[in-house]
Every structure is written in C-alpha cells, then in structure tokens.
Amino acid sequence: MLESLPPILGVIGLIVAFVLYGMVTKYPEGDASIKKIGDQIHEGAMVFMKREYTILLMFLAAQIVLTFTCRPYKATLAGIVGAASSTIGGWIGMHGETKANVRPG
C-alpha cells in the first residue's frame, strides 16, 4: 500500500495544479497595454523554460542510465515519473504565473 502512495499524491498534485490554472484563466485580462507587456513576459518565460528543460533532459538521460545499471527497474521508473511530474508541474506553474500577472484582482 505504501508503494502506491507517492504516485497517487503526485497525480493529486497535478490535478490541483490544473484546477488552480483553470481558476486563474477564468479572470478577465487587463487592458491592452498590460496584456502586451504580459504577453512579452510570458513568451520570455516560456523560452527560458524550454531551454532549461532541454539542458536538464541531458542530465536526466545520464541519471536514468546510471540508475538503470545500478538499481532495480522500479528506481529508474520512479526517477522518470518524478522528473516528468516535476516538469509538468513547473511548466504549469510558470505558465499560470505569467498569465495571472495580467489579471486584475
């Protein structure tokens, strides 16, 4: 039972992130000048995230190979799932934050 707890909590965390993102995007955006600046900030943040995750993917590939050769396959699978969950959560968080900045209230 305890083995299944971390994946379940990870899925719950992702569901909460999606719900919060949905709540944020329901608010109306600000006026045109704020939206324009917000869009530029959002674009820059997404470029940064893409570059960061591209570099981290190289380290993840090395970690997966090392883990697979030295540990049971469950440890490798846990590393992959953890990295994927972290990536998705980070992407949703940055996307939501940069979109929330242009919404008043």
Side-chain angles (χ1 to χ4, degrees):
M1 178 61 182
L2 287 178
E3 285 183 355
S4 61
L5 188 60
I8 291 170
L9 292 175
V11 169
I12 291 171
L14 288 175
I15 290 170
V16 169
F18 279 116
V19 168
L20 290 174
Y21 176 75
M23 290 170 59
V24 166
T25 56
K26 286 184 181 179
Y27 286 96
E29 294 180 340
D31 62 16
S33 61
I34 292 174
K35 186 178 177 328
K36 182 179 177 184
I37 294 169
D39 287 344
Q40 291 172 344
I41 292 170
H42 174 74
E43 183 180 343
M46 293 297 104
V47 169
F48 166 77
M49 293 291 283
K50 184 177 180 183
R51 179 67 178 159
E52 180 181 34
Y53 286 149
T54 301
I55 292 169
L56 287 174
L57 187 62
M58 292 183 264
F59 289 100
L60 177 61
Q63 181 258 331
I64 288 170
V65 169
L66 289 171
T67 304
F68 186 74
T69 58
C70 301
R71 305 292 297 171
Y73 77 94
K74 286 184 179 182
T76 305
L77 184 59
I80 294 169
V81 171
S85 297
S86 176
T87 301
I88 293 167
W91 195 268
I92 293 169
M94 182 66 80
H95 196 275
E97 284 180 33
T98 56
K99 290 296 183 183
N101 287 336
V102 298
R103 287 167 164 76

